[in-house]
PDB file of all heavy atoms in Angstrom:
ATOM      1  N   ALA A   6      25.749 -24.220 -40.936  1.00 97.00           N
ATOM      2  CA  ALA A   6      26.862 -24.610 -40.078  1.00 97.00           C
ATOM      3  C   ALA A   6      26.885 -26.117 -39.882  1.00 97.00           C
ATOM      4  O   ALA A   6      25.835 -26.772 -39.851  1.00 97.00           O
ATOM      5  CB  ALA A   6      26.760 -23.914 -38.732  1.00 97.00           C
ATOM      6  N   SER A   7      28.081 -26.650 -39.722  1.00 95.00           N
ATOM      7  CA  SER A   7      28.255 -28.054 -39.358  1.00 95.00           C
ATOM      8  C   SER A   7      29.441 -28.158 -38.421  1.00 95.00           C
ATOM      9  O   SER A   7      30.278 -27.252 -38.356  1.00 95.00           O
ATOM     10  CB  SER A   7      28.479 -28.931 -40.602  1.00 95.00           C
ATOM     11  OG  SER A   7      29.652 -28.548 -41.273  1.00 95.00           O
ATOM     12  N   GLY A   8      29.491 -29.242 -37.701  1.00 95.00           N
ATOM     13  CA  GLY A   8      30.579 -29.449 -36.765  1.00 95.00           C
ATOM     14  C   GLY A   8      30.235 -29.045 -35.346  1.00 95.00           C
ATOM     15  O   GLY A   8      30.594 -29.721 -34.395  1.00 95.00           O
ATOM     16  N   ARG A   9      29.594 -27.906 -35.207  1.00 94.00           N
ATOM     17  CA  ARG A   9      29.130 -27.431 -33.917  1.00 94.00           C
ATOM     18  C   ARG A   9      27.824 -26.674 -34.133  1.00 94.00           C
ATOM     19  O   ARG A   9      27.532 -26.207 -35.231  1.00 94.00           O
ATOM     20  CB  ARG A   9      30.152 -26.520 -33.237  1.00 94.00           C
ATOM     21  CG  ARG A   9      31.486 -27.192 -32.943  1.00 94.00           C
ATOM     22  CD  ARG A   9      32.310 -26.368 -31.968  1.00 94.00           C
ATOM     23  NE  ARG A   9      31.830 -26.497 -30.596  1.00 94.00           N
ATOM     24  CZ  ARG A   9      32.336 -25.827 -29.569  1.00 94.00           C
ATOM     25  NH1 ARG A   9      33.301 -24.948 -29.767  1.00 94.00           N
ATOM     26  NH2 ARG A   9      31.853 -26.009 -28.347  1.00 94.00           N
ATOM     27  N   THR A  10      27.059 -26.528 -33.070  1.00 94.00           N
ATOM     28  CA  THR A  10      25.789 -25.828 -33.197  1.00 94.00           C
ATOM     29  C   THR A  10      26.007 -24.328 -33.397  1.00 94.00           C
ATOM     30  O   THR A  10      26.834 -23.709 -32.713  1.00 94.00           O
ATOM     31  CB  THR A  10      24.893 -26.075 -31.974  1.00 94.00           C
ATOM     32  OG1 THR A  10      23.716 -25.271 -32.103  1.00 94.00           O
ATOM     33  CG2 THR A  10      25.597 -25.718 -30.683  1.00 94.00           C
ATOM     34  N   ILE A  11      25.264 -23.776 -34.337  1.00 94.00           N
ATOM     35  CA  ILE A  11      25.443 -22.371 -34.670  1.00 94.00           C
ATOM     36  C   ILE A  11      24.982 -21.467 -33.534  1.00 94.00           C
ATOM     37  O   ILE A  11      25.345 -20.285 -33.493  1.00 94.00           O
ATOM     38  CB  ILE A  11      24.694 -22.042 -35.987  1.00 94.00           C
ATOM     39  CG1 ILE A  11      25.333 -20.849 -36.696  1.00 94.00           C
ATOM     40  CG2 ILE A  11      23.203 -21.839 -35.753  1.00 94.00           C
ATOM     41  CD1 ILE A  11      24.835 -20.645 -38.109  1.00 94.00           C
ATOM     42  N   SER A  12      24.205 -21.988 -32.588  1.00 94.00           N
ATOM     43  CA  SER A  12      23.711 -21.184 -31.474  1.00 94.00           C
ATOM     44  C   SER A  12      24.850 -20.709 -30.560  1.00 94.00           C
ATOM     45  O   SER A  12      24.659 -19.790 -29.773  1.00 94.00           O
ATOM     46  CB  SER A  12      22.689 -21.973 -30.660  1.00 94.00           C
ATOM     47  OG  SER A  12      23.290 -23.104 -30.058  1.00 94.00           O
ATOM     48  N   LEU A  13      26.024 -21.319 -30.684  1.00 94.00           N
ATOM     49  CA  LEU A  13      27.172 -20.929 -29.873  1.00 94.00           C
ATOM     50  C   LEU A  13      27.866 -19.670 -30.388  1.00 94.00           C
ATOM     51  O   LEU A  13      28.749 -19.133 -29.712  1.00 94.00           O
ATOM     52  CB  LEU A  13      28.189 -22.065 -29.836  1.00 94.00           C
ATOM     53  CG  LEU A  13      27.742 -23.370 -29.176  1.00 94.00           C
ATOM     54  CD1 LEU A  13      28.818 -24.435 -29.346  1.00 94.00           C
ATOM     55  CD2 LEU A  13      27.445 -23.147 -27.706  1.00 94.00           C
ATOM     56  N   TYR A  14      27.469 -19.218 -31.568  1.00 96.00           N
ATOM     57  CA  TYR A  14      28.215 -18.153 -32.251  1.00 96.00           C
ATOM     58  C   TYR A  14      27.338 -16.970 -32.616  1.00 96.00           C
ATOM     59  O   TYR A  14      26.147 -17.115 -32.903  1.00 96.00           O
ATOM     60  CB  TYR A  14      28.837 -18.702 -33.541  1.00 96.00           C
ATOM     61  CG  TYR A  14      29.759 -19.870 -33.320  1.00 96.00           C
ATOM     62  CD1 TYR A  14      29.277 -21.172 -33.395  1.00 96.00           C
ATOM     63  CD2 TYR A  14      31.103 -19.673 -33.028  1.00 96.00           C
ATOM     64  CE1 TYR A  14      30.122 -22.254 -33.190  1.00 96.00           C
ATOM     65  CE2 TYR A  14      31.949 -20.747 -32.825  1.00 96.00           C
ATOM     66  CZ  TYR A  14      31.451 -22.038 -32.902  1.00 96.00           C
ATOM     67  OH  TYR A  14      32.282 -23.099 -32.689  1.00 96.00           O
ATOM     68  N   SER A  15      27.969 -15.815 -32.618  1.00 97.00           N
ATOM     69  CA  SER A  15      27.404 -14.680 -33.329  1.00 97.00           C
ATOM     70  C   SER A  15      27.838 -14.807 -34.782  1.00 97.00           C
ATOM     71  O   SER A  15      28.966 -15.228 -35.065  1.00 97.00           O
ATOM     72  CB  SER A  15      27.905 -13.367 -32.736  1.00 97.00           C
ATOM     73  OG  SER A  15      27.472 -13.240 -31.406  1.00 97.00           O
ATOM     74  N   ILE A  16      26.950 -14.447 -35.687  1.00 98.00           N
ATOM     75  CA  ILE A  16      27.208 -14.629 -37.114  1.00 98.00           C
ATOM     76  C   ILE A  16      27.167 -13.296 -37.842  1.00 98.00           C
ATOM     77  O   ILE A  16      26.250 -12.490 -37.625  1.00 98.00           O
ATOM     78  CB  ILE A  16      26.175 -15.578 -37.747  1.00 98.00           C
ATOM     79  CG1 ILE A  16      26.188 -16.931 -37.038  1.00 98.00           C
ATOM     80  CG2 ILE A  16      26.449 -15.734 -39.249  1.00 98.00           C
ATOM     81  CD1 ILE A  16      27.475 -17.714 -37.170  1.00 98.00           C
ATOM     82  N   GLY A  17      28.146 -13.092 -38.683  1.00 98.00           N
ATOM     83  CA  GLY A  17      28.177 -11.888 -39.501  1.00 98.00           C
ATOM     84  C   GLY A  17      28.186 -12.230 -40.974  1.00 98.00           C
ATOM     85  O   GLY A  17      28.641 -13.307 -41.375  1.00 98.00           O
ATOM     86  N   TRP A  18      27.665 -11.310 -41.743  1.00 98.00           N
ATOM     87  CA  TRP A  18      27.777 -11.375 -43.205  1.00 98.00           C
ATOM     88  C   TRP A  18      28.675 -10.222 -43.650  1.00 98.00           C
ATOM     89  O   TRP A  18      28.482  -9.083 -43.214  1.00 98.00           O
ATOM     90  CB  TRP A  18      26.424 -11.248 -43.891  1.00 98.00           C
ATOM     91  CG  TRP A  18      25.579 -12.482 -43.856  1.00 98.00           C
ATOM     92  CD1 TRP A  18      24.587 -12.773 -42.968  1.00 98.00           C
ATOM     93  CD2 TRP A  18      25.645 -13.584 -44.755  1.00 98.00           C
ATOM     94  NE1 TRP A  18      24.029 -13.994 -43.263  1.00 98.00           N
ATOM     95  CE2 TRP A  18      24.654 -14.518 -44.359  1.00 98.00           C
ATOM     96  CE3 TRP A  18      26.425 -13.885 -45.881  1.00 98.00           C
ATOM     97  CZ2 TRP A  18      24.434 -15.719 -45.039  1.00 98.00           C
ATOM     98  CZ3 TRP A  18      26.208 -15.075 -46.553  1.00 98.00           C
ATOM     99  CH2 TRP A  18      25.226 -15.983 -46.131  1.00 98.00           C
ATOM    100  N   PHE A  19      29.611 -10.552 -44.509  1.00 98.00           N
ATOM    101  CA  PHE A  19      30.497  -9.567 -45.102  1.00 98.00           C
ATOM    102  C   PHE A  19      30.457  -9.755 -46.613  1.00 98.00           C
ATOM    103  O   PHE A  19      30.078 -10.818 -47.099  1.00 98.00           O
ATOM    104  CB  PHE A  19      31.937  -9.758 -44.605  1.00 98.00           C
ATOM    105  CG  PHE A  19      32.120  -9.416 -43.152  1.00 98.00           C
ATOM    106  CD1 PHE A  19      31.710 -10.292 -42.149  1.00 98.00           C
ATOM    107  CD2 PHE A  19      32.713  -8.212 -42.777  1.00 98.00           C
ATOM    108  CE1 PHE A  19      31.873  -9.973 -40.813  1.00 98.00           C
ATOM    109  CE2 PHE A  19      32.882  -7.889 -41.438  1.00 98.00           C
ATOM    110  CZ  PHE A  19      32.457  -8.775 -40.467  1.00 98.00           C
ATOM    111  N   ARG A  20      30.862  -8.724 -47.340  1.00 98.00           N
ATOM    112  CA  ARG A  20      30.928  -8.858 -48.779  1.00 98.00           C
ATOM    113  C   ARG A  20      32.208  -8.205 -49.303  1.00 98.00           C
ATOM    114  O   ARG A  20      32.761  -7.312 -48.675  1.00 98.00           O
ATOM    115  CB  ARG A  20      29.705  -8.240 -49.451  1.00 98.00           C
ATOM    116  CG  ARG A  20      29.576  -6.733 -49.285  1.00 98.00           C
ATOM    117  CD  ARG A  20      28.222  -6.270 -49.817  1.00 98.00           C
ATOM    118  NE  ARG A  20      28.074  -4.814 -49.718  1.00 98.00           N
ATOM    119  CZ  ARG A  20      26.945  -4.169 -50.002  1.00 98.00           C
ATOM    120  NH1 ARG A  20      25.867  -4.847 -50.387  1.00 98.00           N
ATOM    121  NH2 ARG A  20      26.885  -2.854 -49.886  1.00 98.00           N
ATOM    122  N   GLN A  21      32.646  -8.708 -50.448  1.00 97.00           N
ATOM    123  CA  GLN A  21      33.858  -8.177 -51.061  1.00 97.00           C
ATOM    124  C   GLN A  21      33.674  -8.105 -52.562  1.00 97.00           C
ATOM    125  O   GLN A  21      33.439  -9.136 -53.216  1.00 97.00           O
ATOM    126  CB  GLN A  21      35.073  -9.039 -50.709  1.00 97.00           C
ATOM    127  CG  GLN A  21      36.390  -8.433 -51.157  1.00 97.00           C
ATOM    128  CD  GLN A  21      37.587  -9.079 -50.491  1.00 97.00           C
ATOM    129  OE1 GLN A  21      37.506 -10.186 -49.955  1.00 97.00           O
ATOM    130  NE2 GLN A  21      38.711  -8.381 -50.492  1.00 97.00           N
ATOM    131  N   ALA A  22      33.763  -6.907 -53.077  1.00 95.00           N
ATOM    132  CA  ALA A  22      33.698  -6.679 -54.516  1.00 95.00           C
ATOM    133  C   ALA A  22      35.114  -6.644 -55.072  1.00 95.00           C
ATOM    134  O   ALA A  22      36.060  -6.355 -54.326  1.00 95.00           O
ATOM    135  CB  ALA A  22      32.958  -5.390 -54.808  1.00 95.00           C
ATOM    136  N   PRO A  23      35.283  -6.912 -56.352  1.00 91.00           N
ATOM    137  CA  PRO A  23      36.627  -6.921 -56.949  1.00 91.00           C
ATOM    138  C   PRO A  23      37.353  -5.600 -56.727  1.00 91.00           C
ATOM    139  O   PRO A  23      36.795  -4.524 -56.966  1.00 91.00           O
ATOM    140  CB  PRO A  23      36.345  -7.157 -58.437  1.00 91.00           C
ATOM    141  CG  PRO A  23      35.054  -7.883 -58.466  1.00 91.00           C
ATOM    142  CD  PRO A  23      34.255  -7.318 -57.328  1.00 91.00           C
ATOM    143  N   GLY A  24      38.582  -5.705 -56.234  1.00 93.00           N
ATOM    144  CA  GLY A  24      39.399  -4.518 -56.018  1.00 93.00           C
ATOM    145  C   GLY A  24      39.088  -3.742 -54.759  1.00 93.00           C
ATOM    146  O   GLY A  24      39.743  -2.733 -54.484  1.00 93.00           O
ATOM    147  N   LEU A  25      38.114  -4.208 -53.999  1.00 95.00           N
ATOM    148  CA  LEU A  25      37.731  -3.492 -52.781  1.00 95.00           C
ATOM    149  C   LEU A  25      37.985  -4.358 -51.560  1.00 95.00           C
ATOM    150  O   LEU A  25      38.119  -5.577 -51.658  1.00 95.00           O
ATOM    151  CB  LEU A  25      36.260  -3.092 -52.842  1.00 95.00           C
ATOM    152  CG  LEU A  25      35.858  -2.162 -53.973  1.00 95.00           C
ATOM    153  CD1 LEU A  25      34.362  -1.865 -53.908  1.00 95.00           C
ATOM    154  CD2 LEU A  25      36.665  -0.869 -53.945  1.00 95.00           C
ATOM    155  N   GLU A  26      38.022  -3.707 -50.404  1.00 95.00           N
ATOM    156  CA  GLU A  26      38.208  -4.444 -49.164  1.00 95.00           C
ATOM    157  C   GLU A  26      36.898  -5.111 -48.745  1.00 95.00           C
ATOM    158  O   GLU A  26      35.811  -4.702 -49.141  1.00 95.00           O
ATOM    159  CB  GLU A  26      38.675  -3.488 -48.053  1.00 95.00           C
ATOM    160  CG  GLU A  26      40.061  -2.930 -48.272  1.00 95.00           C
ATOM    161  CD  GLU A  26      40.546  -2.125 -47.081  1.00 95.00           C
ATOM    162  OE1 GLU A  26      39.780  -1.935 -46.129  1.00 95.00           O
ATOM    163  OE2 GLU A  26      41.719  -1.683 -47.117  1.00 95.00           O
ATOM    164  N   ARG A  27      37.051  -6.139 -47.933  1.00 96.00           N
ATOM    165  CA  ARG A  27      35.885  -6.806 -47.382  1.00 96.00           C
ATOM    166  C   ARG A  27      35.148  -5.834 -46.480  1.00 96.00           C
ATOM    167  O   ARG A  27      35.756  -5.145 -45.661  1.00 96.00           O
ATOM    168  CB  ARG A  27      36.324  -8.036 -46.598  1.00 96.00           C
ATOM    169  CG  ARG A  27      35.209  -8.919 -46.112  1.00 96.00           C
ATOM    170  CD  ARG A  27      35.752 -10.237 -45.618  1.00 96.00           C
ATOM    171  NE  ARG A  27      36.358 -11.006 -46.711  1.00 96.00           N
ATOM    172  CZ  ARG A  27      36.773 -12.279 -46.565  1.00 96.00           C
ATOM    173  NH1 ARG A  27      36.634 -12.887 -45.399  1.00 96.00           N
ATOM    174  NH2 ARG A  27      37.314 -12.907 -47.580  1.00 96.00           N
ATOM    175  N   GLU A  28      33.829  -5.762 -46.633  1.00 97.00           N
ATOM    176  CA  GLU A  28      33.051  -4.828 -45.829  1.00 97.00           C
ATOM    177  C   GLU A  28      31.922  -5.539 -45.094  1.00 97.00           C
ATOM    178  O   GLU A  28      31.347  -6.528 -45.578  1.00 97.00           O
ATOM    179  CB  GLU A  28      32.474  -3.699 -46.698  1.00 97.00           C
ATOM    180  CG  GLU A  28      31.440  -4.114 -47.700  1.00 97.00           C
ATOM    181  CD  GLU A  28      30.750  -2.918 -48.353  1.00 97.00           C
ATOM    182  OE1 GLU A  28      30.963  -1.775 -47.927  1.00 97.00           O
ATOM    183  OE2 GLU A  28      29.973  -3.153 -49.307  1.00 97.00           O
ATOM    184  N   PHE A  29      31.608  -5.003 -43.949  1.00 98.00           N
ATOM    185  CA  PHE A  29      30.549  -5.532 -43.099  1.00 98.00           C
ATOM    186  C   PHE A  29      29.195  -5.284 -43.744  1.00 98.00           C
ATOM    187  O   PHE A  29      28.956  -4.215 -44.309  1.00 98.00           O
ATOM    188  CB  PHE A  29      30.608  -4.864 -41.738  1.00 98.00           C
ATOM    189  CG  PHE A  29      29.429  -5.129 -40.872  1.00 98.00           C
ATOM    190  CD1 PHE A  29      29.274  -6.365 -40.249  1.00 98.00           C
ATOM    191  CD2 PHE A  29      28.465  -4.160 -40.662  1.00 98.00           C
ATOM    192  CE1 PHE A  29      28.185  -6.615 -39.439  1.00 98.00           C
ATOM    193  CE2 PHE A  29      27.375  -4.392 -39.850  1.00 98.00           C
ATOM    194  CZ  PHE A  29      27.235  -5.626 -39.245  1.00 98.00           C
ATOM    195  N   VAL A  30      28.298  -6.276 -43.614  1.00 98.00           N
ATOM    196  CA  VAL A  30      26.933  -6.149 -44.127  1.00 98.00           C
ATOM    197  C   VAL A  30      25.925  -6.209 -42.984  1.00 98.00           C
ATOM    198  O   VAL A  30      25.108  -5.306 -42.818  1.00 98.00           O
ATOM    199  CB  VAL A  30      26.627  -7.261 -45.154  1.00 98.00           C
ATOM    200  CG1 VAL A  30      25.175  -7.181 -45.606  1.00 98.00           C
ATOM    201  CG2 VAL A  30      27.573  -7.172 -46.345  1.00 98.00           C
ATOM    202  N   ALA A  31      25.986  -7.275 -42.195  1.00 98.00           N
ATOM    203  CA  ALA A  31      25.005  -7.466 -41.120  1.00 98.00           C
ATOM    204  C   ALA A  31      25.533  -8.486 -40.144  1.00 98.00           C
ATOM    205  O   ALA A  31      26.392  -9.304 -40.487  1.00 98.00           O
ATOM    206  CB  ALA A  31      23.656  -7.921 -41.679  1.00 98.00           C
ATOM    207  N   ALA A  32      25.012  -8.431 -38.920  1.00 98.00           N
ATOM    208  CA  ALA A  32      25.399  -9.396 -37.896  1.00 98.00           C
ATOM    209  C   ALA A  32      24.215  -9.688 -36.999  1.00 98.00           C
ATOM    210  O   ALA A  32      23.351  -8.831 -36.785  1.00 98.00           O
ATOM    211  CB  ALA A  32      26.577  -8.887 -37.068  1.00 98.00           C
ATOM    212  N   VAL A  33      24.211 -10.906 -36.475  1.00 97.00           N
ATOM    213  CA  VAL A  33      23.221 -11.302 -35.476  1.00 97.00           C
ATOM    214  C   VAL A  33      23.967 -12.002 -34.348  1.00 97.00           C
ATOM    215  O   VAL A  33      24.780 -12.892 -34.584  1.00 97.00           O
ATOM    216  CB  VAL A  33      22.115 -12.194 -36.091  1.00 97.00           C
ATOM    217  CG1 VAL A  33      22.676 -13.459 -36.715  1.00 97.00           C
ATOM    218  CG2 VAL A  33      21.060 -12.533 -35.041  1.00 97.00           C
ATOM    219  N   THR A  34      23.705 -11.580 -33.124  1.00 95.00           N
ATOM    220  CA  THR A  34      24.394 -12.154 -31.978  1.00 95.00           C
ATOM    221  C   THR A  34      23.709 -13.432 -31.508  1.00 95.00           C
ATOM    222  O   THR A  34      22.628 -13.795 -31.969  1.00 95.00           O
ATOM    223  CB  THR A  34      24.433 -11.168 -30.811  1.00 95.00           C
ATOM    224  OG1 THR A  34      23.092 -11.001 -30.319  1.00 95.00           O
ATOM    225  CG2 THR A  34      24.989  -9.818 -31.232  1.00 95.00           C
ATOM    226  N   ARG A  35      24.349 -14.093 -30.544  1.00 94.00           N
ATOM    227  CA  ARG A  35      23.739 -15.279 -29.953  1.00 94.00           C
ATOM    228  C   ARG A  35      22.412 -14.938 -29.294  1.00 94.00           C
ATOM    229  O   ARG A  35      21.507 -15.755 -29.249  1.00 94.00           O
ATOM    230  CB  ARG A  35      24.708 -15.899 -28.943  1.00 94.00           C
ATOM    231  CG  ARG A  35      25.881 -16.605 -29.581  1.00 94.00           C
ATOM    232  CD  ARG A  35      26.855 -17.111 -28.542  1.00 94.00           C
ATOM    233  NE  ARG A  35      27.596 -16.024 -27.934  1.00 94.00           N
ATOM    234  CZ  ARG A  35      28.535 -16.187 -27.016  1.00 94.00           C
ATOM    235  NH1 ARG A  35      28.829 -17.403 -26.590  1.00 94.00           N
ATOM    236  NH2 ARG A  35      29.179 -15.161 -26.519  1.00 94.00           N
ATOM    237  N   GLY A  36      22.318 -13.711 -28.792  1.00 92.00           N
ATOM    238  CA  GLY A  36      21.082 -13.259 -28.173  1.00 92.00           C
ATOM    239  C   GLY A  36      20.085 -12.672 -29.140  1.00 92.00           C
ATOM    240  O   GLY A  36      19.057 -12.137 -28.718  1.00 92.00           O
ATOM    241  N   ASN A  37      20.380 -12.756 -30.448  1.00 94.00           N
ATOM    242  CA  ASN A  37      19.486 -12.322 -31.517  1.00 94.00           C
ATOM    243  C   ASN A  37      19.417 -10.810 -31.709  1.00 94.00           C
ATOM    244  O   ASN A  37      18.479 -10.303 -32.341  1.00 94.00           O
ATOM    245  CB  ASN A  37      18.078 -12.876 -31.331  1.00 94.00           C
ATOM    246  CG  ASN A  37      17.505 -13.420 -32.633  1.00 94.00           C
ATOM    247  OD1 ASN A  37      18.227 -13.824 -33.539  1.00 94.00           O
ATOM    248  ND2 ASN A  37      16.188 -13.391 -32.745  1.00 94.00           N
ATOM    249  N   SER A  38      20.396 -10.084 -31.175  1.00 95.00           N
ATOM    250  CA  SER A  38      20.508  -8.670 -31.523  1.00 95.00           C
ATOM    251  C   SER A  38      21.100  -8.566 -32.921  1.00 95.00           C
ATOM    252  O   SER A  38      21.902  -9.405 -33.325  1.00 95.00           O
ATOM    253  CB  SER A  38      21.390  -7.938 -30.525  1.00 95.00           C
ATOM    254  OG  SER A  38      20.802  -7.949 -29.247  1.00 95.00           O
ATOM    255  N   THR A  39      20.712  -7.515 -33.639  1.00 96.00           N
ATOM    256  CA  THR A  39      21.174  -7.372 -35.015  1.00 96.00           C
ATOM    257  C   THR A  39      21.771  -5.992 -35.261  1.00 96.00           C
ATOM    258  O   THR A  39      21.471  -5.026 -34.545  1.00 96.00           O
ATOM    259  CB  THR A  39      20.026  -7.589 -36.019  1.00 96.00           C
ATOM    260  OG1 THR A  39      18.991  -6.642 -35.744  1.00 96.00           O
ATOM    261  CG2 THR A  39      19.475  -8.998 -35.923  1.00 96.00           C
ATOM    262  N   ARG A  40      22.612  -5.930 -36.266  1.00 97.00           N
ATOM    263  CA  ARG A  40      23.190  -4.659 -36.695  1.00 97.00           C
ATOM    264  C   ARG A  40      23.392  -4.731 -38.198  1.00 97.00           C
ATOM    265  O   ARG A  40      23.723  -5.802 -38.731  1.00 97.00           O
ATOM    266  CB  ARG A  40      24.512  -4.372 -36.003  1.00 97.00           C
ATOM    267  CG  ARG A  40      25.080  -3.000 -36.389  1.00 97.00           C
ATOM    268  CD  ARG A  40      26.363  -2.689 -35.682  1.00 97.00           C
ATOM    269  NE  ARG A  40      26.943  -1.427 -36.147  1.00 97.00           N
ATOM    270  CZ  ARG A  40      26.963  -0.331 -35.417  1.00 97.00           C
ATOM    271  NH1 ARG A  40      26.455  -0.311 -34.188  1.00 97.00           N
ATOM    272  NH2 ARG A  40      27.507   0.780 -35.901  1.00 97.00           N
ATOM    273  N   TYR A  41      23.206  -3.591 -38.858  1.00 97.00           N
ATOM    274  CA  TYR A  41      23.330  -3.525 -40.305  1.00 97.00           C
ATOM    275  C   TYR A  41      24.249  -2.388 -40.718  1.00 97.00           C
ATOM    276  O   TYR A  41      24.306  -1.354 -40.056  1.00 97.00           O
ATOM    277  CB  TYR A  41      21.961  -3.304 -40.954  1.00 97.00           C
ATOM    278  CG  TYR A  41      20.986  -4.424 -40.694  1.00 97.00           C
ATOM    279  CD1 TYR A  41      20.133  -4.384 -39.596  1.00 97.00           C
ATOM    280  CD2 TYR A  41      20.940  -5.533 -41.534  1.00 97.00           C
ATOM    281  CE1 TYR A  41      19.252  -5.423 -39.347  1.00 97.00           C
ATOM    282  CE2 TYR A  41      20.053  -6.568 -41.288  1.00 97.00           C
ATOM    283  CZ  TYR A  41      19.216  -6.504 -40.189  1.00 97.00           C
ATOM    284  OH  TYR A  41      18.351  -7.538 -39.945  1.00 97.00           O
ATOM    285  N   ALA A  42      24.907  -2.582 -41.837  1.00 97.00           N
ATOM    286  CA  ALA A  42      25.657  -1.483 -42.431  1.00 97.00           C
ATOM    287  C   ALA A  42      24.666  -0.483 -43.023  1.00 97.00           C
ATOM    288  O   ALA A  42      23.580  -0.870 -43.491  1.00 97.00           O
ATOM    289  CB  ALA A  42      26.585  -2.019 -43.516  1.00 97.00           C
ATOM    290  N   ASP A  43      25.042   0.780 -43.040  1.00 97.00           N
ATOM    291  CA  ASP A  43      24.138   1.813 -43.526  1.00 97.00           C
ATOM    292  C   ASP A  43      23.632   1.551 -44.948  1.00 97.00           C
ATOM    293  O   ASP A  43      22.443   1.765 -45.238  1.00 97.00           O
ATOM    294  CB  ASP A  43      24.827   3.178 -43.463  1.00 97.00           C
ATOM    295  CG  ASP A  43      24.967   3.682 -42.030  1.00 97.00           C
ATOM    296  OD1 ASP A  43      24.275   3.149 -41.139  1.00 97.00           O
ATOM    297  OD2 ASP A  43      25.764   4.609 -41.808  1.00 97.00           O
TER     298      ASP A  43
END
């Protein structure tokens, strides 16, 4: 990240394969909680 500190944000990872919709992969909150796609 640049411009602002990343600690202000929850961050997610998404992925998109050709011909498919963007799908959720994983996320981490500002408080460091996490969630993953199955």
Side-chain angles (χ1 to χ4, degrees):
S7 62
R9 299 195 76 184
T10 175
I11 206 169
S12 64
L13 296 174
Y14 302 93
S15 297
I16 302 295
W18 283 96
F19 291 77
R20 65 188 182 186
Q21 188 164 19
L25 299 180
E26 293 187 356
R27 187 168 295 188
E28 67 170 352
F29 169 75
V30 176
V33 59
T34 68
R35 287 176 288 182
N37 225 26
S38 296
T39 58
R40 183 178 175 108
Y41 298 91
D43 288 344

